[in-house]
């Protein structure tokens, strides 16, 4: 969870993350009191599931600050998806500035759960091609790239099983 903090942190760049705080223990009973002293202005949770089940919704409500959250596939499809009622609890809460979808398909799915279009911002994951550029000549053949943390929820096992079915003579 990233909390975008007050002038105090922004004016003191020697503090960690230069205006942002990484919270690792949402169950700390002293957390709301400590954060109030920092003048928190906004809370963003990169995972909706953590936002809903991990106490971030309660923290944002307690601190009376606006919040945003990013939605990932596993939070809107499948067994781990939040229900329509849970999404309604989030977007209907005072302070909800936006629910960030990373694709148009995610936006559409959120709307199926009843989230109003005006509450959804589509911000795609992207690459800064000013920093990373493709080779001038790409090797021929099939290339497979998987980007993400190595953990079960990322589905690398599915990719590896699918790779077994690929004709490997043309794979680079």
């Amino acid at each position: 969870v990233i909390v975008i903090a007050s002038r105090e942190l922004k004016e003191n760049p020697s503090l960690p993350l230069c205006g942002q705080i990484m919270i690792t223990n949402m169950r700390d009973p002293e957390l709301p009191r400590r954060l109030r002293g920092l003048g928190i202005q906004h809370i963003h949770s990169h995972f909706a599931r953590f936002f809903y089940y991990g106490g971030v919704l309660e923290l944002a409500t307690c601190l009376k600050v606006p919040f945003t959250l990013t939605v990932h596939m596993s939070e809107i499809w499948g067994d781990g998806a939040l229900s329509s009622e849970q999404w309604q609890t989030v977007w209907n809460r005072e302070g909800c500035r936006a629910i960030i979808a990373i694709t148009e398909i995610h936006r559409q799915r959120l709307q199926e759960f009843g989230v109003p279009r005006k509450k959804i911002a589509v911000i795609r994951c992207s690459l800064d091609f000013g920093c990373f550029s493709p080779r001038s000549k790409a090797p021929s053949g099939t290339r497979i790239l998987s980007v993400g943390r190595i953990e079960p929820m990322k589905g690398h096992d599915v990719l590896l099983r699918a790779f077994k079915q690929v004709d490997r003579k043309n794979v680079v």
Side-chain angles (χ1 to χ4, degrees), residues 142 144 159 161-171:
T142 303
I144 298 174
L159 176 64
R161 283 195 305 275
F163 189 69
K164 285 182 182 179
Q165 300 175 23
V166 173
D167 179 5
R168 293 196 184 121
K169 69 181 177 192
N170 291 321
V171 174

Side-chain angles (χ1 to χ4, degrees), residues 69-86:
L69 59 130
T70 303
V71 176
H72 296 82
M73 185 187 78
S74 63
E75 297 164 330
I76 53 178
W77 275 286
D79 295 338
L82 298 178
S83 69
S84 294
E85 294 77 24
Q86 290 169 318

Side-chain angles (χ1 to χ4, degrees), residues 34-92:
R34 290 195 325 233
L35 291 177
R36 273 193 198 100
L38 295 175
I40 301 303
Q41 297 172 342
H42 187 96
I43 294 178
H44 176 76
S45 178
H46 190 68
F47 292 96
R49 184 178 297 108
F50 188 71
F51 183 84
Y52 189 82
Y53 293 114
V56 183
L57 182 61
E58 291 80 11
L59 181 63
T61 302
C62 177
L63 295 175
K64 297 182 174 135
V65 296
F67 61 86
T68 52
L69 59 130
T70 303
V71 176
H72 296 82
M73 185 187 78
S74 63
E75 297 164 330
I76 53 178
W77 275 286
D79 295 338
L82 298 178
S83 69
S84 294
E85 294 77 24
Q86 290 169 318
W87 282 113
Q88 184 173 351
T89 299
V90 172
W91 68 258
N92 228 5

Side-chain angles (χ1 to χ4, degrees), residues 71-73 76 101-110:
V71 176
H72 296 82
M73 185 187 78
I76 53 178
I102 60 174
T103 68
E104 284 296 323
I105 293 170
H106 285 77
R107 179 193 57 75
Q108 292 168 6
R109 181 69 171 163
L110 284 167

Side-chain angles (χ1 to χ4, degrees), residues 76-168:
I76 53 178
W77 275 286
D79 295 338
L82 298 178
S83 69
S84 294
E85 294 77 24
Q86 290 169 318
W87 282 113
Q88 184 173 351
T89 299
V90 172
W91 68 258
N92 228 5
R93 187 68 58 106
E94 185 178 342
C96 179
R97 294 294 182 258
I99 297 173
I100 299 167
I102 60 174
T103 68
E104 284 296 323
I105 293 170
H106 285 77
R107 179 193 57 75
Q108 292 168 6
R109 181 69 171 163
L110 284 167
Q111 286 185 273
E112 291 171 13
F113 279 115
V115 179
R117 175 68 180 98
K118 67 181 183 179
K119 286 284 188 178
I120 305 168
V122 177
I123 302 176
R124 291 169 180 78
C125 300
S126 62
L127 181 64
D128 181 352
F129 286 103
C131 296
F132 303 97
S133 58
R135 297 179 195 168
S136 58
K137 183 173 178 174
S140 62
T142 303
R143 286 170 281 159
I144 298 174
L145 171 68
S146 177
V147 178
R149 294 183 313 276
I150 305 295
E151 63 175 65
M153 80 180 321
K154 293 294 181 180
H156 290 93
D157 59 323
V158 175
L159 176 64
L160 293 172
R161 283 195 305 275
F163 189 69
K164 285 182 182 179
Q165 300 175 23
V166 173
D167 179 5
R168 293 196 184 121

